[in-house]
Amino acid sequence: MIVSPSLLAADFCHLSQDIEMINESDASWIHCDVMDGVFVPNISFGFPVIQAISKLTAKPLDVHLMIVNPQNYIGQVRDCGASIMNVHQEACTHLDRTIQAIKQAGMKAAVTLNPATPVLLLEDIITELDMVLLMSVNPGFGGQKFIPNTINKVQKLKQLIKESQSNAIIEIDGGVNADTAPLLAKAGADALVAGSAVFKNPNPKEFISYLNSL
Ligand code: DX5
Ligand code: ZN
């Protein structure tokens, strides 16, 4: 299992210590949540912070843009060291154009779906994607409760990927913890984002290893 700890739940006064912990852990990626207060009702951090983070780690940065008009920031996201750029389907009028531009910029292209957005909306673009990120909470905040219907969505998405012979992998974000992670692994998730479950854990590295073993 690919593990992508979300820095939204990290200690922003001691971000370098939390990144050091991730560096020493079995985490594969680092998940960075950008919020604009428009697409989601919250504001987090932006490109200068991600650029600073990228200098402290060799792990690929998995950047999740919860913003309107993400297509306007592809160059900036690349320049701040991102390896994976996640854009929301709901935020992109011309999703195909945006995906091609992300790939041309040299990043992996991922599309994120809100809990109410059906998997089938990706039917005509799934072969172009490196990853689909399914939100298992409504985006904007850490520490929310996992929406159980996500398990059905993982199964539907897995089927769509198989039928279309796409290489896309499936990542899940929101409410991932010791109870929900095994269900997601069983349903076919390839990557798990975890914020509070990692950073509120007394032994975060051990918890990351546990997720990694699923
Ligand atoms: C929420 C963010 C998540 C968040 C997950 O909108 O996209 O990445 O950090 O937090 P937890 O794991 O606490 O649900
Ligand atoms: Zn996220």
Side-chain angles (χ1 to χ4, degrees):
M1 181 66 73
I2 294 168
V3 186
S4 190
S6 166
L7 290 179
L8 194 62
D11 178 352
F12 290 167
C13 287
H14 301 100
L15 207 43
S16 58
Q17 287 173 16
D18 282 349
I19 292 163
E20 197 46 42
M21 180 280 289
I22 297 175
N23 285 343
E24 291 164 2
S25 79
D26 292 329
S28 303
W29 302 338
I30 298 183
H31 189 81
C32 303
D33 289 299
V34 179
M35 303 181 188
D36 66 354
V38 180
F39 182 71
V40 288
N42 200 5
I43 297 176
S44 56
F45 53 79
F47 304 128
V49 175
I50 299 176
Q51 191 154 32
I53 293 165
S54 76
K55 296 198 177 108
L56 297 175
T57 187
K59 305 237 182 204
L61 299 183
D62 169 32
V63 175
H64 177 194
L65 296 171
M66 286 162 274
I67 64 173
V68 296
N69 295 320
Q71 72 280 356
N72 294 349
Y73 303 96
I74 294 170
Q76 263 174 286
V77 172
R78 188 230 9 244
D79 291 347
C80 71
S83 299
I84 305 158
M85 178 164 167
N86 295 275
V87 296
H88 270 259
Q89 185 276 339
E90 304 85 0
C92 297
T93 309
H94 301 290
L95 187 59
D96 181 80
R97 179 185 286 151
T98 301
I99 293 306
Q100 303 312 335
I102 292 171
K103 293 200 283 194
Q104 269 163 25
M107 294 179 285
K108 300 259 187 224
V111 172
T112 311
L113 298 183
N114 280 335
T117 305
V119 157
L120 274 182
L121 278 185
L122 296 180
E123 194 178 4
D124 292 301
I125 194 153
I126 193 74
T127 54
E128 299 301 309
L129 304 182
D130 295 301
M131 183 166 84
V132 178
L133 171 53
L134 295 179
M135 290 307 302
S136 38
V137 297
N138 287 295
F141 304 91
Q144 301 182 84
K145 199 171 166 291
F146 181 81
I147 297 173
N149 183 54
T150 310
I151 302 293
N152 297 328
K153 285 182 80 172
V154 174
Q155 289 163 346
K156 282 185 201 165
L157 179 56
K158 197 91 194 161
Q159 188 65 22
L160 175 63
I161 288 170
K162 198 174 153 204
E163 280 166 8
S164 51
Q165 296 180 312
S166 159
N167 293 321
I169 63 168
I170 304 176
E171 183 176 48
I172 311 296
D173 185 6
V176 172
N177 57 34
D179 296 326
T180 56
L183 306 175
L184 290 163
K186 191 162 171 252
D190 303 293
L192 298 175
V193 176
S196 13
V198 166
F199 289 100
K200 287 202 164 57
N201 196 296
N203 196 338
K205 277 190 251 179
E206 208 168 273
F207 184 69
I208 290 170
S209 299
Y210 159 72
L211 293 178
N212 182 245
S213 73
L214 291 173

